[in-house]
Amino acid sequence: HGPYQPHEPGYGLDQPGYSPYEDEIPDPQARLLAIKNAKAYLLKTSTKSGLNLYDHFANILTKILDEQPTNTVDIIENISKDVKWAQFRKKMDTLRDEHLVPPIFEASEKYKALFIKEDGEEEHEELEEEMGQPSLPNVMETAFYFEQAGIGLNKDESYYIFLALKNLINLQPIQTCRFWGKILGLERNYIIAEVQLQEGEEEEEIGEEGEEIVEEGEKEMGDTEEDEQKEKEAEPPKSTYKPPPEIPKEANGTGTNKYVYFVCNEPGTPWVKLPPVTPAQIVCARKIKKFFTGRLNAPVVSFPPFPGNEANYLRAQIARISAGTHVSPTGFYQFENEDEEDDEGADTYEENPEFEPPPVAEMVESLATWAHHVKGILKQGRCVWINPSQKSEENEEQDEDEEEEEGEEQQEERGPPLLTLISEDEGMKDIPAWTAQASTDLIPQYSVAILQSNRWPGAYAFASGRKFENIYFGWGHKYIPESHTPALPPPAQAEFPSGPEITETVDPTVEEEMAFKAAQEEALAEDEEGEDEEEEDD
């Protein structure tokens, strides 16, 4: 190669007297020009890849210095290929890629609030230590026993529910708390906690409801006075239909409203208190079959019409499932008073300190070792029957005959008493009401007795020594051998009996109208002649 030209990258490097080891450069301008030409050559962009050699070398050196691989000189070609592939981009459109949040990150953000310890928790723990009975249930222990039979949730979800119940106890004045179960929905699920509030809180709630009832009574009294005034002005025809008397709901802390229930869709979301259940809601819930959506304010579209929204329907199903599936080993509970054993309306019991648990093999073989500790619900929708036709003394004197007729029709319902053995439960055709089995046959000395309800699929109970628990995982539907058939609509109302007083008359013809008019004129003329004759006589 001859001497470099001024436009070439190596121009100025071949000047006489130049040495790379000398500090002084004979011609600094030529040196700067050579550097600019060399950099300009390295910055030339490729027509194929759109890259230039200068940036490529810089990226290679950066990658080598960051990673510092061994034997770099042997893999320099591979490093160059990796740098080129890292800069490759598909140019399909001008839209930017959406930032995807990993599911693990979303779950951690959702459950992060469960792991934060609040200031009031330490005081609550101290109160529990003083009381001696912690209100927080050991969900993980219960999950362990049910896991022996392959029942329950995964350990992570069980622990999240454990923390969610702890937060509920810290927020609400709860005396006892229990994980009731999980009801599945089409959009979201319901996690349910069964609690007993402190006595003062229950009385306050009852008082508030009583005030509302009083206010409603005052409004009804005002409405009746207005109605009486309107009736004096104009009295339309009165209907003879008498609606059936409304059956009152059971008081808080008794019957179907013995416990209070809180629900949430997922651990970490706020707990929502369900309203008390009424007999009308339970009676209607028996006639319909609806899947839950997971939204408490969702309407329940059904026939017969359900009196409430999904929160009321959920509460009614919880009451039905609890009454039919909550069982305990026979003899674990006993009545507080001996007189209550013969009383079918008894609703209070206590733990028997002298209870000796039967072996697991006996609890699996005989259903007589299990008993219901929740009262059954009558057809009326209550645990304790009430006569809806009872009236005050004044009304009784006025309507004695009506009450005698109604008394013949109304018959008192009697359900099975409390602590009834499950062996007396009726089956469904050839299917028994309950199925009992051991958690394992390989190690019987460490097995657990598992009881499964066939009437309410998803309801289970376990017993191991003095420990037992009930739980529910399902859709909240009762099993029926036949397909569900909705109730038929009531028969159409009969037409009003036809008669001359309601029959429409036929329009008269023109001739009839003229004859009627002529007859009226003659009658008027006769009346005038009669008056004139009377005046002449006077």
Side-chain angles (χ1 to χ4, degrees), residues 7 13 56 89 140-141 173 180 226 240 382 409 438:
H7 65 277
L13 299 178
H56 184 60
R89 294 287 185 275
M140 300 304 296
E141 182 184 9
W180 187 88
E226 294 178 359
T240 58
R382 292 168 54 98
E409 297 177 359

Side-chain angles (χ1 to χ4, degrees), residues 275-316:
V277 67
T278 62
Q281 294 169 355
I282 293 178
V283 171
C284 185
R286 288 170 170 165
K287 301 177 182 178
I288 64 176
K289 203 168 193 177
K290 295 283 290 185
F291 281 103
F292 293 96
T293 62
R295 294 177 284 109
L296 292 175
N297 58 351
V300 180
V301 181
S302 64
F303 183 84
F306 184 79
N309 54 13
E310 187 166 300
N312 303 106
Y313 180 55
L314 176 63
R315 180 64 183 84

Side-chain angles (χ1 to χ4, degrees), residues 76-146:
I76 187 67
E77 294 84 1
N78 297 332
I79 295 175
S80 176
K81 290 181 180 179
D82 293 341
V83 171
K84 284 185 178 180
W85 280 108
Q87 293 179 350
F88 177 74
R89 294 287 185 275
K90 276 188 176 181
K91 296 184 178 180
M92 302 296 293
D93 50 30
T94 58
L95 297 177
R96 294 183 178 180
D97 295 336
E98 184 180 359
H99 178 65
L100 298 177
V101 180
I104 299 176
F105 180 79
E106 290 183 350
S108 61
E109 286 291 327
K110 187 185 303 179
Y111 302 129
K112 184 170 65 174
L114 297 174
F115 295 88
I116 299 175
K117 194 169 184 178
E118 299 179 357
D119 298 335
E121 292 187 13
E122 296 180 357
E123 299 178 358
H124 187 77
E125 292 174 0
E126 292 177 358
L127 290 174
E128 286 187 351
E129 292 178 359
E130 294 177 0
M131 296 293 292
Q133 295 180 352
S135 56
L136 181 63
N138 194 345
V139 178
M140 300 304 296
E141 182 184 9
T142 304
F144 167 76
Y145 283 107
F146 280 113

Side-chain angles (χ1 to χ4, degrees), residues 120-424:
E121 292 187 13
E122 296 180 357
E123 299 178 358
H124 187 77
E125 292 174 0
E126 292 177 358
L127 290 174
E128 286 187 351
E129 292 178 359
E130 294 177 0
M131 296 293 292
Q133 295 180 352
S135 56
L136 181 63
N138 194 345
V139 178
M140 300 304 296
E141 182 184 9
T142 304
F144 167 76
Y145 283 107
F146 280 113
E147 188 181 2
Q148 307 306 309
I151 302 166
L153 310 172
N154 59 63
K155 291 184 179 180
D156 290 343
E157 187 173 1
S158 298
Y159 192 72
Y160 295 150
I161 293 173
F162 197 4
L163 296 176
L165 292 176
K166 181 175 72 71
N167 293 344
L168 174 62
I169 291 173
N170 294 332
L171 295 175
Q172 300 289 338
I174 292 174
Q175 185 176 356
T176 60
C177 179
R178 193 181 73 86
F179 176 47
W180 187 88
K182 182 177 182 180
I183 288 184
L184 306 178
L186 299 177
E187 300 176 12
R188 289 173 289 183
N189 304 325
Y190 288 116
I191 296 171
I192 305 166
E194 180 184 86
V195 305
Q196 270 187 325
L197 298 178
Q198 297 177 4
E199 296 180 358
E201 298 295 329
E202 292 181 359
E203 291 176 359
E204 289 179 2
E205 291 181 359
I206 295 171
E208 292 176 359
E209 294 176 0
E211 291 176 1
E212 293 178 358
I213 294 171
V214 171
E215 291 177 359
E216 292 177 358
E218 292 177 354
K219 290 180 181 178
E220 291 177 0
M221 290 292 292
D223 294 341
T224 53
E225 292 177 358
E226 294 178 359
D227 294 340
E228 289 177 359
Q229 293 177 358
K230 292 179 181 178
E231 287 177 0
K232 291 179 180 178
E233 297 175 358
E235 295 183 358
K238 295 181 180 180
S239 175
T240 58
Y241 171 74
K242 292 183 179 180
E246 184 179 357
I247 301 173
K249 71 178 185 68
E250 293 181 295
N252 293 346
T254 61
T256 54
N257 292 318
K258 183 176 182 179
Y259 296 99
V260 180
Y261 294 90
F262 289 84
V263 298
C264 65
N265 295 116
E266 290 183 358
T269 56
W271 290 94
V272 180
K273 181 182 176 183
L274 295 180
V277 67
T278 62
Q281 294 169 355
I282 293 178
V283 171
C284 185
R286 288 170 170 165
K287 301 177 182 178
I288 64 176
K289 203 168 193 177
K290 295 283 290 185
F291 281 103
F292 293 96
T293 62
R295 294 177 284 109
L296 292 175
N297 58 351
V300 180
V301 181
S302 64
F303 183 84
F306 184 79
N309 54 13
E310 187 166 300
N312 303 106
Y313 180 55
L314 176 63
R315 180 64 183 84
Q317 293 298 95
I318 290 173
R320 296 179 62 201
I321 295 171
S322 300
T325 63
H326 282 194
V327 296
S328 58
T330 303
F332 186 85
Y333 291 115
Q334 63 180 2
F335 292 104
E336 295 180 358
N337 299 324
E338 296 180 357
D339 299 337
E340 293 183 356
E341 295 185 5
D342 300 331
D343 186 8
E344 296 184 357
D347 196 15
T348 57
Y349 52 82
E350 62 183 3
E351 187 174 340
N352 183 9
E354 301 177 356
F355 169 72
E356 295 182 1
V360 174
E362 183 180 351
M363 300 194 72
V364 172
E365 294 175 359
S366 175
L367 294 180
T369 56
W370 300 84
H372 292 276
H373 61 263
V374 176
K375 285 187 66 64
I377 302 177
L378 305 175
K379 294 182 180 179
Q380 194 181 45
R382 292 168 54 98
C383 293
V384 180
W385 188 82
I386 186 174
N387 188 2
S389 60
Q390 287 181 350
K391 302 179 181 179
S392 61
E393 296 180 358
E394 297 179 358
N395 295 333
E396 286 179 359
E397 294 176 358
Q398 295 175 1
D399 305 330
E400 288 180 357
D401 299 335
E402 295 181 2
E403 285 190 353
E404 288 177 0
E405 295 176 359
E406 292 177 358
E408 294 176 358
E409 297 177 359
Q410 293 288 343
Q411 295 181 357
E412 183 178 357
E413 297 180 35
R414 291 183 178 273
L418 197 62
L419 303 182
T420 302
L421 303 181
I422 67 171
S423 57
E424 301 179 8

Side-chain angles (χ1 to χ4, degrees), residues 325 425-428 432-434 453-457 477-480:
T325 63
D425 294 355
E426 296 182 1
M428 299 153 288
W434 298 91
S453 174
N454 298 323
R455 190 179 299 275
W456 290 96
H477 290 164
K478 189 176 182 179
Y479 173 77
I480 50 176

